[in-house]
Amino acid sequence: MSENKTTKAVGDSATAVKDRPLLEVEGLTKHFPIYGGFPFKRQVGAVQAVEGVTLDVFPGESLGLVGESGCGKSTTGRMLTRLLEPTGGTIKYEGRDITHANRRELAPIRSEIQMIFQDPYASLNPRQTVGKIISGPMEINDINPPGGREARVRELLETVGLNPEHYNRFPHEFSGGQRQRIGVARALALEPKLIIADEPVSALDVSIQAQVVNLLQELQRERGIAFVFIAHDLSIVRHFSQRVAVMYLGKLVEIADRDTLYSGPRHPYTHALLSAVPETDIDVQKRERIRLVGDVPSPIMPPSGCRFRTRCWKAQDKCATEEPPLVQLSGNKAGHLTACHFPEDPTIDVGARKEDVVMDPALRSLEKDAKKS
Amino acid sequence: MTSPVQTEDTSVPGGNGPDALTKDGAQETKTQEGLSPGQLMWRRFRRDRTGIISACVVIFFFAIALLAPLISKVYGKDPYTLYGQNSLDLLNEFNMPAGSFGGASGSYWFGIEPNLGRDVFTQLLYGMRTSIFTALGATVLIVVVGVLIGLVGGYFGGTIDYWLGRFTDLMLGFPSQLFMIASMPVITAAFVAPDENTPTWLRAGAIIAVVGGLGWMGIARLMRAATLTMREREFVEAAKISGASPWRIIRKELLPNLWSPILVQATLQLPNTVLNVAFLSFVGVGFVEPTPDWGRMFANGADYIQLDPWYMLYPGVAMVIFVVAFNLLGDSVRDAFDPKSGR
Ligand SMILES: Nc1ncnc2c1ncn2[C@@H]1O[C@H](COP(=O)(O)OP(=O)(O)OP(=O)(O)O)[C@@H](O)[C@H]1O
Ligand SMILES: [Mg+2]
C-alpha cells in the first residue's frame, strides 16, 4: 500500500531524496465539536474539518497542499505541528508516533518541525525586538550556537535578506514582506528538517510574493529542508513544490508529482482548480475552462460518498453511495493517487473536449446570449 | 533618521531585498529608529497636557506621603501631640479651635483638631501616608490576583476557565462594602487574642486583604478577555511550536502585551482603593486611634461638621483633588497606550 500511495520527489530539486519518509501521516482526522442545546450544553455536531488525510513527506522535498478556502489545509498543517490535537489517525515523524505526544515527549523533535505563518502582522510579538523574536526558539531549546545567539541571529537575518543591524528593531518598523522574512528567520533558528508554511505569501503584495517564495526555495535547496507548502492558489505551488496534494472539504482528492498533476489531472476538482489558474505563458495551449458553481458544502454535514459530487459535472448515483478511495488509477504513474469513480482523461488540452465545461445553467444561458448578440 | 535613509539600508547586498523599497504603512508611522512600543506610548503621553498635569498632582501626593516625616520635622510638629491640651489658648471652652478658619495660623497651618487639639496639617500628612500606602498595597494585591486569575483562565480555557469564571462571579455577587465591614473584625480576631491590642501592621494587612480580596474581579475579567484574543495570535503559536512552556508563554509572550491594560486598570483602580480604605476607617473598622488616617479624619470631621466645618475641609479637598487627578491620569494613560480608543 505504501509504495502505492507515495512517490519520490521528482523534478529539478537538487536535494537527495531518501526512501524513508520524514513524516508519515495516516488517516488524519480533525472534528471540531459544536456545542448547543438548552439548558445544558452538549455536543450537537462536529465540523469535519479534516477527514482521513494520508500522505508522506520525504526529506528535503516540498509538498504543496492546495484547496479552496475552508477545506482544512490550515487545520492539517496545525495538526502536523501538533498545535491541534488530531481526532483520529496517526502522525509519525522519523518513524516515531507523535500523534498524541505531549509537550515533554515532543521536546526532542520540536526543533525539527517549524512553521511559517500566513499573517506577518500577527505572527511576530509586537513587544519583542527582532533579535528576541529570532533567538526565542534557541533560548527555549537551550541551544547555544558557537559565537553566541546574537551572532547567529545576525547571520540568520542576513540569510533571509535583512540587514543584521535590524537586530534591535521592533516588528512595527518593518513592512509585511520584511516581517515575513523575520518569521522565516525564526523558523530557521532551530535548523529544522521540516517547515510547514501556511500560506506564507498570501497576505503579501503580489510583487513581494515572488521574492519570499524565491527565498523559501533557495533555503529548501541549499539546506535540504522539507516543506509542506500550503496555498489556495495552484500557480505558486507549481513554482515551489515537487509534489502537490489537492484537498477538498477535508479530504485529499488527488496527490501527484507536480508535472503529472499539472499536465494530466485525473480528479475533476483538480481539473477545475487548474483551469482557474491564470495563464502565465502566452505560448501555452489554451485550456478549457471549468467553472465551479455554488459554494463548498458545509463541513458540518458533508455530502455522502464523494464530497465533491454536489459540484461535479460527472457525478452519478455511485458517487453518492460509495466513497471513492484514494488509489493509483490505471494509466497513472506510481505515486499519482486519485479519489474518483469517474476520473478525467489525463489531459487538459482543448482538443480532448469540444466545449468548455460550464456548470451553471444560468451562466450557460448568459453565454448563449453573449454569442447571439 | 528619515524614511528614505531607512529604506535604503534595509536592502541588503546579496539578499533579494527590493521589497524593502516598496513602502507601506509601517514606514510612515516611524519617526526614529528603534522605538519600542513603550517609547511610542511615552511620546504620545508627553503630548497630553491633562495627563502631564494630573501626573504631576499624583506625584505630588505620593511625594507628600513619602516625605511626611521629613516635612513634619521641618514644620516642627507631629500628629500625636495634643497641642490644644498643652497650651490653653488654642481651644475655646467648648473644646473647639479658638481661632478663625478652624484655628489656622502661622504655626498650625490647617488649624487644630477639635477636642483633642492635635495639629491638622501633620494629621493630614500622616493620614494620607497611611491611606495611600495601604491602598497601594491593596491595589498591588488586586492587580496581581486579577491578572493571574484572568491570565490563567484565559490562556488555559476549558475547565480551569469555567471554575475560575464561576468563582469570579461568586465574588462579584458579594455586597462588597457590607462584606468588608463584616469581615474586618473576623480577620483581626483570628490573629489577635481578645485581650490584646491589634498591632497596626496587622490592621493594615487585614485591610489590604479585605479590600484586595474583594476587588480583583473586574481586572480578572478584563485580563481574561484580553488574554483570549491574544492567545489566538500566531506569535503565541510560534512559541508553542518551539516548545515553550505555558508559563513561559504567559510571561514572555502574553504579559508584555498586556502591560498597557494592566497599567491602565491599576491607575484607575488606585483611587477607588483609596476610597475603599477610607471608607473602612470611616465606618470604624479600619485604622483606629492613634494611627493618623485619612478616612478617620472624615469620621471625626463628621462629628464636628456643625461646629467646625474647617476640620473636614482640608482632608476633603485633598481627597477630591487626589481622586480626580488619578482618574484623569488613568484616562490619559489609556489614551497614550491605545490612541484609537476614546475620543
Ligand atoms: N477552532 C475551530 N473550531 C471550529 N471550526 C474550525 C476551527 N478551525 C477551523 N474550523 C473549521 O474547519 C474548516 C477548515 O478550516 P481551515 O482553517 O483548516 O481551512 P483552510 O483550508 O486553511 O482555509 P483558508 O484557505 O481560508 O485558510 C473550516 O470549515 C473552519 O470553519
Ligand atoms: Mg488557512
mmCIF file of all heavy atoms in Angstrom, chain A residues 78 103 110 122 125-128 139-141 162-163 166 170 172-176 181 211, chain B residues 9-10 12 16 19 24 26 30 34-36 234-235 237 241-243 248 252-253 256-257:
data_model
loop_
_atom_site.group_PDB
_atom_site.id
_atom_site.type_symbol
_atom_site.label_atom_id
_atom_site.label_comp_id
_atom_site.label_asym_id
_atom_site.label_seq_id
_atom_site.Cartn_x
_atom_site.Cartn_y
_atom_site.Cartn_z
ATOM 1 N N ARG A 78 -1.748 22.543 11.115
ATOM 2 C CA ARG A 78 -1.656 22.726 12.559
ATOM 3 C C ARG A 78 -1.573 21.402 13.293
ATOM 4 O O ARG A 78 -0.981 21.310 14.371
ATOM 5 C CB ARG A 78 -2.877 23.497 13.052
ATOM 6 C CG ARG A 78 -2.592 24.961 13.194
ATOM 7 C CD ARG A 78 -3.788 25.805 12.926
ATOM 8 N NE ARG A 78 -3.346 26.960 12.148
ATOM 9 C CZ ARG A 78 -3.045 28.127 12.694
ATOM 10 N NH1 ARG A 78 -3.200 28.298 13.967
ATOM 11 N NH2 ARG A 78 -2.608 29.099 11.960
ATOM 12 N N ARG A 103 3.904 17.834 25.451
ATOM 13 C CA ARG A 103 4.973 18.797 25.232
ATOM 14 C C ARG A 103 6.343 18.213 25.566
ATOM 15 O O ARG A 103 7.305 18.408 24.848
ATOM 16 C CB ARG A 103 4.717 20.047 26.083
ATOM 17 C CG ARG A 103 5.501 21.247 25.644
ATOM 18 C CD ARG A 103 5.053 22.464 26.405
ATOM 19 N NE ARG A 103 5.367 22.353 27.814
ATOM 20 C CZ ARG A 103 6.558 22.641 28.324
ATOM 21 N NH1 ARG A 103 7.521 23.035 27.543
ATOM 22 N NH2 ARG A 103 6.773 22.516 29.606
ATOM 23 N N ARG A 110 10.822 19.029 18.593
ATOM 24 C CA ARG A 110 10.257 20.365 18.416
ATOM 25 C C ARG A 110 11.111 21.218 17.486
ATOM 26 O O ARG A 110 10.616 21.970 16.660
ATOM 27 C CB ARG A 110 10.148 21.070 19.777
ATOM 28 C CG ARG A 110 8.798 20.974 20.427
ATOM 29 C CD ARG A 110 7.727 21.482 19.532
ATOM 30 N NE ARG A 110 6.409 21.433 20.165
ATOM 31 C CZ ARG A 110 5.294 21.378 19.478
ATOM 32 N NH1 ARG A 110 5.314 21.320 18.171
ATOM 33 N NH2 ARG A 110 4.130 21.367 20.095
ATOM 34 N N ALA A 122 0.444 39.270 12.655
ATOM 35 C CA ALA A 122 0.082 38.609 13.910
ATOM 36 C C ALA A 122 1.148 37.623 14.359
ATOM 37 O O ALA A 122 1.116 37.155 15.484
ATOM 38 C CB ALA A 122 -1.252 37.875 13.742
ATOM 39 N N ASN A 125 5.634 38.952 17.820
ATOM 40 C CA ASN A 125 5.231 39.619 19.046
ATOM 41 C C ASN A 125 5.616 41.092 18.987
ATOM 42 O O ASN A 125 6.795 41.423 18.908
ATOM 43 C CB ASN A 125 5.925 38.944 20.230
ATOM 44 C CG ASN A 125 5.362 39.404 21.555
ATOM 45 O OD1 ASN A 125 4.800 40.497 21.646
ATOM 46 N ND2 ASN A 125 5.497 38.582 22.566
ATOM 47 N N PRO A 126 4.617 41.988 19.028
ATOM 48 C CA PRO A 126 4.930 43.414 18.861
ATOM 49 C C PRO A 126 5.810 43.977 19.966
ATOM 50 O O PRO A 126 6.388 45.044 19.795
ATOM 51 C CB PRO A 126 3.552 44.079 18.861
ATOM 52 C CG PRO A 126 2.627 43.092 19.455
ATOM 53 C CD PRO A 126 3.185 41.740 19.164
ATOM 54 N N ARG A 127 5.906 43.304 21.079
ATOM 55 C CA ARG A 127 6.680 43.842 22.203
ATOM 56 C C ARG A 127 8.092 43.301 22.256
ATOM 57 O O ARG A 127 8.808 43.556 23.216
ATOM 58 C CB ARG A 127 5.988 43.509 23.518
ATOM 59 C CG ARG A 127 4.604 44.033 23.607
ATOM 60 C CD ARG A 127 4.569 45.392 24.247
ATOM 61 N NE ARG A 127 3.333 46.061 23.877
ATOM 62 C CZ ARG A 127 3.049 47.302 24.209
ATOM 63 N NH1 ARG A 127 3.916 48.012 24.873
ATOM 64 N NH2 ARG A 127 1.917 47.841 23.834
ATOM 65 N N GLN A 128 8.471 42.488 21.301
ATOM 66 C CA GLN A 128 9.826 41.952 21.333
ATOM 67 C C GLN A 128 10.629 42.484 20.155
ATOM 68 O O GLN A 128 10.086 42.689 19.076
ATOM 69 C CB GLN A 128 9.793 40.424 21.267
ATOM 70 C CG GLN A 128 9.250 39.797 22.536
ATOM 71 C CD GLN A 128 9.236 38.298 22.470
ATOM 72 O OE1 GLN A 128 9.469 37.709 21.431
ATOM 73 N NE2 GLN A 128 8.953 37.674 23.591
ATOM 74 N N GLU A 139 16.546 29.980 22.767
ATOM 75 C CA GLU A 139 16.521 30.078 24.216
ATOM 76 C C GLU A 139 15.675 28.956 24.814
ATOM 77 O O GLU A 139 16.079 28.296 25.763
ATOM 78 C CB GLU A 139 15.910 31.432 24.566
ATOM 79 C CG GLU A 139 16.409 32.047 25.844
ATOM 80 C CD GLU A 139 15.709 33.382 26.048
ATOM 81 O OE1 GLU A 139 15.833 34.253 25.165
ATOM 82 O OE2 GLU A 139 15.023 33.526 27.061
ATOM 83 N N ILE A 140 14.508 28.745 24.209
ATOM 84 C CA ILE A 140 13.596 27.732 24.737
ATOM 85 C C ILE A 140 14.246 26.352 24.691
ATOM 86 O O ILE A 140 14.147 25.570 25.616
ATOM 87 C CB ILE A 140 12.282 27.733 23.929
ATOM 88 C CG1 ILE A 140 11.532 29.034 24.165
ATOM 89 C CG2 ILE A 140 11.423 26.542 24.297
ATOM 90 C CD1 ILE A 140 10.430 29.289 23.173
ATOM 91 N N ASN A 141 14.935 26.075 23.591
ATOM 92 C CA ASN A 141 15.523 24.750 23.439
ATOM 93 C C ASN A 141 16.958 24.693 23.946
ATOM 94 O O ASN A 141 17.651 23.705 23.727
ATOM 95 C CB ASN A 141 15.452 24.322 21.974
ATOM 96 C CG ASN A 141 14.030 24.025 21.558
ATOM 97 O OD1 ASN A 141 13.516 22.957 21.826
ATOM 98 N ND2 ASN A 141 13.368 24.992 20.935
ATOM 99 N N LEU A 162 17.760 40.375 5.242
ATOM 100 C CA LEU A 162 17.519 41.586 6.022
ATOM 101 C C LEU A 162 18.851 42.097 6.555
ATOM 102 O O LEU A 162 19.832 41.358 6.642
ATOM 103 C CB LEU A 162 16.585 41.296 7.200
ATOM 104 C CG LEU A 162 15.135 40.999 6.855
ATOM 105 C CD1 LEU A 162 14.391 40.535 8.098
ATOM 106 C CD2 LEU A 162 14.456 42.226 6.287
ATOM 107 N N ASN A 163 18.853 43.340 6.945
ATOM 108 C CA ASN A 163 20.052 43.946 7.495
ATOM 109 C C ASN A 163 20.294 43.432 8.914
ATOM 110 O O ASN A 163 19.422 43.558 9.768
ATOM 111 C CB ASN A 163 19.865 45.466 7.515
ATOM 112 C CG ASN A 163 21.129 46.193 7.870
ATOM 113 O OD1 ASN A 163 22.032 45.615 8.467
ATOM 114 N ND2 ASN A 163 21.194 47.444 7.492
ATOM 115 N N HIS A 166 19.362 45.318 12.043
ATOM 116 C CA HIS A 166 17.980 45.480 12.496
ATOM 117 C C HIS A 166 17.678 44.657 13.742
ATOM 118 O O HIS A 166 16.537 44.570 14.166
ATOM 119 C CB HIS A 166 17.010 45.098 11.376
ATOM 120 C CG HIS A 166 17.025 46.084 10.266
ATOM 121 N ND1 HIS A 166 16.387 45.882 9.075
ATOM 122 C CD2 HIS A 166 17.631 47.277 10.162
ATOM 123 C CE1 HIS A 166 16.590 46.914 8.281
ATOM 124 N NE2 HIS A 166 17.348 47.765 8.926
ATOM 125 N N PHE A 170 11.908 46.853 16.357
ATOM 126 C CA PHE A 170 10.650 46.195 16.704
ATOM 127 C C PHE A 170 9.862 45.889 15.429
ATOM 128 O O PHE A 170 10.011 46.590 14.422
ATOM 129 C CB PHE A 170 9.840 47.084 17.640
ATOM 130 C CG PHE A 170 10.387 47.094 19.030
ATOM 131 C CD1 PHE A 170 11.371 47.988 19.396
ATOM 132 C CD2 PHE A 170 9.938 46.177 19.962
ATOM 133 C CE1 PHE A 170 11.896 47.976 20.674
ATOM 134 C CE2 PHE A 170 10.459 46.164 21.242
ATOM 135 C CZ PHE A 170 11.435 47.061 21.602
ATOM 136 N N HIS A 172 6.993 46.538 14.362
ATOM 137 C CA HIS A 172 6.163 47.560 13.715
ATOM 138 C C HIS A 172 6.967 48.462 12.793
ATOM 139 O O HIS A 172 6.391 49.270 12.074
ATOM 140 C CB HIS A 172 5.427 48.386 14.771
ATOM 141 C CG HIS A 172 6.325 49.237 15.633
ATOM 142 N ND1 HIS A 172 6.684 50.497 15.265
ATOM 143 C CD2 HIS A 172 6.941 48.981 16.800
ATOM 144 C CE1 HIS A 172 7.491 50.998 16.201
ATOM 145 N NE2 HIS A 172 7.655 50.087 17.137
ATOM 146 N N GLU A 173 8.269 48.308 12.822
ATOM 147 C CA GLU A 173 9.085 49.143 11.951
ATOM 148 C C GLU A 173 9.351 48.490 10.603
ATOM 149 O O GLU A 173 10.102 49.025 9.804
ATOM 150 C CB GLU A 173 10.419 49.441 12.640
ATOM 151 C CG GLU A 173 10.239 50.165 13.950
ATOM 152 C CD GLU A 173 11.554 50.312 14.680
ATOM 153 O OE1 GLU A 173 12.374 51.100 14.213
ATOM 154 O OE2 GLU A 173 11.751 49.629 15.692
ATOM 155 N N PHE A 174 8.756 47.324 10.374
ATOM 156 C CA PHE A 174 9.039 46.617 9.126
ATOM 157 C C PHE A 174 7.801 46.506 8.258
ATOM 158 O O PHE A 174 6.678 46.545 8.745
ATOM 159 C CB PHE A 174 9.566 45.212 9.437
ATOM 160 C CG PHE A 174 10.902 45.218 10.110
ATOM 161 C CD1 PHE A 174 11.005 45.245 11.487
ATOM 162 C CD2 PHE A 174 12.066 45.227 9.362
ATOM 163 C CE1 PHE A 174 12.237 45.263 12.115
ATOM 164 C CE2 PHE A 174 13.304 45.245 9.972
ATOM 165 C CZ PHE A 174 13.384 45.266 11.348
ATOM 166 N N SER A 175 8.045 46.306 6.983
ATOM 167 C CA SER A 175 6.929 46.089 6.056
ATOM 168 C C SER A 175 6.500 44.627 6.113
ATOM 169 O O SER A 175 7.181 43.793 6.701
ATOM 170 C CB SER A 175 7.375 46.438 4.646
ATOM 171 O OG SER A 175 8.317 45.482 4.203
ATOM 172 N N GLY A 176 5.374 44.339 5.495
ATOM 173 C CA GLY A 176 4.853 42.978 5.520
ATOM 174 C C GLY A 176 5.856 41.946 5.024
ATOM 175 O O GLY A 176 6.067 40.912 5.644
ATOM 176 N N ARG A 181 9.966 37.736 6.341
ATOM 177 C CA ARG A 181 11.347 37.261 6.370
ATOM 178 C C ARG A 181 11.809 37.012 7.804
ATOM 179 O O ARG A 181 12.548 36.061 8.070
ATOM 180 C CB ARG A 181 12.269 38.280 5.705
ATOM 181 C CG ARG A 181 12.129 38.300 4.196
ATOM 182 C CD ARG A 181 12.782 39.530 3.615
ATOM 183 N NE ARG A 181 12.397 39.677 2.228
ATOM 184 C CZ ARG A 181 13.123 39.192 1.228
ATOM 185 N NH1 ARG A 181 14.256 38.585 1.462
ATOM 186 N NH2 ARG A 181 12.698 39.326 -0.010
ATOM 187 N N GLN A 211 9.380 37.179 -4.321
ATOM 188 C CA GLN A 211 10.650 37.256 -3.596
ATOM 189 C C GLN A 211 10.677 36.317 -2.404
ATOM 190 O O GLN A 211 11.671 35.631 -2.159
ATOM 191 C CB GLN A 211 10.867 38.684 -3.103
ATOM 192 C CG GLN A 211 11.116 39.655 -4.218
ATOM 193 C CD GLN A 211 10.970 41.072 -3.727
ATOM 194 O OE1 GLN A 211 10.892 41.311 -2.525
ATOM 195 N NE2 GLN A 211 10.944 42.002 -4.646
ATOM 196 N N ASP B 9 18.832 51.430 3.765
ATOM 197 C CA ASP B 9 19.683 50.478 4.463
ATOM 198 C C ASP B 9 18.988 49.145 4.721
ATOM 199 O O ASP B 9 19.599 48.227 5.230
ATOM 200 C CB ASP B 9 20.264 51.067 5.746
ATOM 201 C CG ASP B 9 19.231 51.282 6.828
ATOM 202 O OD1 ASP B 9 18.213 50.563 6.836
ATOM 203 O OD2 ASP B 9 19.433 52.166 7.645
ATOM 204 N N THR B 10 17.718 49.058 4.351
ATOM 205 C CA THR B 10 17.070 47.771 4.541
ATOM 206 C C THR B 10 17.355 46.807 3.398
ATOM 207 O O THR B 10 17.214 45.615 3.557
ATOM 208 C CB THR B 10 15.548 47.919 4.671
ATOM 209 O OG1 THR B 10 15.115 48.775 3.651
ATOM 210 C CG2 THR B 10 15.177 48.447 6.037
ATOM 211 N N VAL B 12 19.628 44.739 1.534
ATOM 212 C CA VAL B 12 20.947 44.228 1.843
ATOM 213 C C VAL B 12 21.589 43.675 0.580
ATOM 214 O O VAL B 12 20.914 43.024 -0.214
ATOM 215 C CB VAL B 12 20.821 43.097 2.884
ATOM 216 C CG1 VAL B 12 22.173 42.515 3.199
ATOM 217 C CG2 VAL B 12 20.173 43.641 4.126
ATOM 218 N N ASN B 16 17.574 39.290 -1.716
ATOM 219 C CA ASN B 16 16.663 39.828 -2.701
ATOM 220 C C ASN B 16 15.787 40.835 -1.981
ATOM 221 O O ASN B 16 14.648 40.590 -1.667
ATOM 222 C CB ASN B 16 15.840 38.752 -3.397
ATOM 223 C CG ASN B 16 15.710 37.532 -2.538
ATOM 224 O OD1 ASN B 16 16.077 37.575 -1.359
ATOM 225 N ND2 ASN B 16 15.194 36.468 -3.092
ATOM 226 N N ASP B 19 11.977 44.263 -1.831
ATOM 227 C CA ASP B 19 10.692 44.500 -1.181
ATOM 228 C C ASP B 19 10.827 45.538 -0.075
ATOM 229 O O ASP B 19 9.864 46.141 0.353
ATOM 230 C CB ASP B 19 10.054 43.200 -0.671
ATOM 231 C CG ASP B 19 10.593 42.735 0.659
ATOM 232 O OD1 ASP B 19 10.620 43.532 1.615
ATOM 233 O OD2 ASP B 19 10.973 41.575 0.746
ATOM 234 N N ASP B 24 5.182 50.777 2.872
ATOM 235 C CA ASP B 24 3.817 50.591 3.346
ATOM 236 C C ASP B 24 3.653 51.392 4.627
ATOM 237 O O ASP B 24 4.519 52.170 4.998
ATOM 238 C CB ASP B 24 3.492 49.104 3.577
ATOM 239 C CG ASP B 24 4.321 48.544 4.701
ATOM 240 O OD1 ASP B 24 5.055 49.322 5.351
ATOM 241 O OD2 ASP B 24 4.235 47.350 4.940
ATOM 242 N N ALA B 26 3.963 50.861 7.654
ATOM 243 C CA ALA B 26 4.938 50.751 8.724
ATOM 244 C C ALA B 26 6.021 51.818 8.605
ATOM 245 O O ALA B 26 6.568 52.273 9.586
ATOM 246 C CB ALA B 26 5.572 49.371 8.697
ATOM 247 N N LYS B 30 6.858 55.442 11.596
ATOM 248 C CA LYS B 30 8.058 55.549 12.420
ATOM 249 C C LYS B 30 8.695 56.922 12.271
ATOM 250 O O LYS B 30 8.735 57.514 11.196
ATOM 251 C CB LYS B 30 9.037 54.434 12.090
ATOM 252 C CG LYS B 30 9.755 54.601 10.781
ATOM 253 C CD LYS B 30 10.668 53.418 10.587
ATOM 254 C CE LYS B 30 10.731 53.027 9.134
ATOM 255 N NZ LYS B 30 11.143 51.723 8.874
ATOM 256 N N GLY B 34 14.280 52.257 16.052
ATOM 257 C CA GLY B 34 14.465 51.561 17.301
ATOM 258 C C GLY B 34 13.541 51.985 18.427
ATOM 259 O O GLY B 34 13.849 51.755 19.575
ATOM 260 N N LEU B 35 12.408 52.594 18.102
ATOM 261 C CA LEU B 35 11.492 52.968 19.175
ATOM 262 C C LEU B 35 10.641 51.772 19.564
ATOM 263 O O LEU B 35 9.973 51.192 18.733
ATOM 264 C CB LEU B 35 10.587 54.105 18.709
ATOM 265 C CG LEU B 35 11.177 55.500 18.801
ATOM 266 C CD1 LEU B 35 10.125 56.518 18.456
ATOM 267 C CD2 LEU B 35 11.714 55.758 20.195
ATOM 268 N N SER B 36 10.665 51.436 20.831
ATOM 269 C CA SER B 36 9.834 50.334 21.278
ATOM 270 C C SER B 36 8.411 50.845 21.430
ATOM 271 O O SER B 36 8.183 52.051 21.510
ATOM 272 C CB SER B 36 10.343 49.802 22.606
ATOM 273 O OG SER B 36 10.041 50.730 23.617
ATOM 274 N N GLU B 234 -0.771 34.444 16.231
ATOM 275 C CA GLU B 234 0.148 33.436 15.718
ATOM 276 C C GLU B 234 1.501 33.439 16.415
ATOM 277 O O GLU B 234 2.191 32.433 16.432
ATOM 278 C CB GLU B 234 0.301 33.627 14.207
ATOM 279 C CG GLU B 234 -0.974 33.204 13.483
ATOM 280 C CD GLU B 234 -0.984 33.556 12.019
ATOM 281 O OE1 GLU B 234 -0.170 34.401 11.615
ATOM 282 O OE2 GLU B 234 -1.790 32.983 11.279
ATOM 283 N N PHE B 235 1.879 34.569 17.012
ATOM 284 C CA PHE B 235 3.177 34.529 17.682
ATOM 285 C C PHE B 235 3.144 33.640 18.915
ATOM 286 O O PHE B 235 4.161 33.069 19.302
ATOM 287 C CB PHE B 235 3.705 35.935 18.002
ATOM 288 C CG PHE B 235 2.878 36.737 18.973
ATOM 289 C CD1 PHE B 235 2.982 36.521 20.331
ATOM 290 C CD2 PHE B 235 2.029 37.727 18.513
ATOM 291 C CE1 PHE B 235 2.246 37.276 21.215
ATOM 292 C CE2 PHE B 235 1.289 38.484 19.398
ATOM 293 C CZ PHE B 235 1.394 38.254 20.753
ATOM 294 N N GLU B 237 1.376 30.865 18.930
ATOM 295 C CA GLU B 237 1.508 29.533 18.344
ATOM 296 C C GLU B 237 2.955 29.249 17.967
ATOM 297 O O GLU B 237 3.447 28.136 18.126
ATOM 298 C CB GLU B 237 0.601 29.419 17.122
ATOM 299 C CG GLU B 237 -0.855 29.656 17.481
ATOM 300 C CD GLU B 237 -1.794 29.220 16.393
ATOM 301 O OE1 GLU B 237 -1.466 29.459 15.217
ATOM 302 O OE2 GLU B 237 -2.845 28.654 16.722
ATOM 303 N N ILE B 241 5.152 26.112 19.121
ATOM 304 C CA ILE B 241 5.825 25.189 18.218
ATOM 305 C C ILE B 241 7.293 25.035 18.595
ATOM 306 O O ILE B 241 7.871 23.965 18.444
ATOM 307 C CB ILE B 241 5.660 25.661 16.760
ATOM 308 C CG1 ILE B 241 4.215 25.456 16.336
ATOM 309 C CG2 ILE B 241 6.578 24.918 15.822
ATOM 310 C CD1 ILE B 241 3.909 25.974 14.979
ATOM 311 N N SER B 242 7.892 26.107 19.111
ATOM 312 C CA SER B 242 9.285 25.964 19.531
ATOM 313 C C SER B 242 9.404 25.225 20.856
ATOM 314 O O SER B 242 10.500 25.010 21.331
ATOM 315 C CB SER B 242 9.955 27.319 19.690
ATOM 316 O OG SER B 242 9.465 28.228 18.787
ATOM 317 N N GLY B 243 8.273 24.884 21.450
ATOM 318 C CA GLY B 243 8.316 24.082 22.660
ATOM 319 C C GLY B 243 8.254 24.874 23.949
ATOM 320 O O GLY B 243 8.605 24.358 25.001
ATOM 321 N N ARG B 248 6.140 30.077 30.334
ATOM 322 C CA ARG B 248 6.986 30.970 29.550
ATOM 323 C C ARG B 248 6.138 31.783 28.580
ATOM 324 O O ARG B 248 6.365 32.971 28.378
ATOM 325 C CB ARG B 248 8.021 30.162 28.750
ATOM 326 C CG ARG B 248 9.083 31.058 28.138
ATOM 327 C CD ARG B 248 9.872 30.374 27.047
ATOM 328 N NE ARG B 248 10.213 31.350 26.023
ATOM 329 C CZ ARG B 248 11.361 32.018 25.992
ATOM 330 N NH1 ARG B 248 12.269 31.803 26.892
ATOM 331 N NH2 ARG B 248 11.580 32.891 25.038
ATOM 332 N N LYS B 252 6.455 35.614 28.797
ATOM 333 C CA LYS B 252 7.253 36.293 27.784
ATOM 334 C C LYS B 252 6.433 36.763 26.584
ATOM 335 O O LYS B 252 6.823 37.689 25.892
ATOM 336 C CB LYS B 252 8.361 35.343 27.283
ATOM 337 C CG LYS B 252 9.417 35.056 28.325
ATOM 338 C CD LYS B 252 10.603 35.971 28.141
ATOM 339 C CE LYS B 252 11.502 35.991 29.331
ATOM 340 N NZ LYS B 252 12.713 35.203 29.167
ATOM 341 N N GLU B 253 5.343 36.076 26.298
ATOM 342 C CA GLU B 253 4.586 36.444 25.103
ATOM 343 C C GLU B 253 3.321 37.232 25.449
ATOM 344 O O GLU B 253 3.005 38.218 24.805
ATOM 345 C CB GLU B 253 4.212 35.197 24.289
ATOM 346 C CG GLU B 253 5.372 34.272 23.960
ATOM 347 C CD GLU B 253 6.289 34.833 22.876
ATOM 348 O OE1 GLU B 253 5.868 35.715 22.119
ATOM 349 O OE2 GLU B 253 7.447 34.377 22.812
ATOM 350 N N PRO B 256 3.869 40.808 28.321
ATOM 351 C CA PRO B 256 4.366 42.076 27.758
ATOM 352 C C PRO B 256 3.330 42.787 26.902
ATOM 353 O O PRO B 256 3.345 44.009 26.796
ATOM 354 C CB PRO B 256 5.562 41.634 26.904
ATOM 355 C CG PRO B 256 5.985 40.343 27.479
ATOM 356 C CD PRO B 256 4.747 39.680 27.968
ATOM 357 N N ASN B 257 2.419 42.027 26.323
ATOM 358 C CA ASN B 257 1.388 42.652 25.513
ATOM 359 C C ASN B 257 0.209 43.128 26.338
ATOM 360 O O ASN B 257 -0.680 43.790 25.825
ATOM 361 C CB ASN B 257 0.897 41.675 24.451
ATOM 362 C CG ASN B 257 1.870 41.562 23.323
ATOM 363 O OD1 ASN B 257 2.022 42.483 22.541
ATOM 364 N ND2 ASN B 257 2.579 40.446 23.262
#
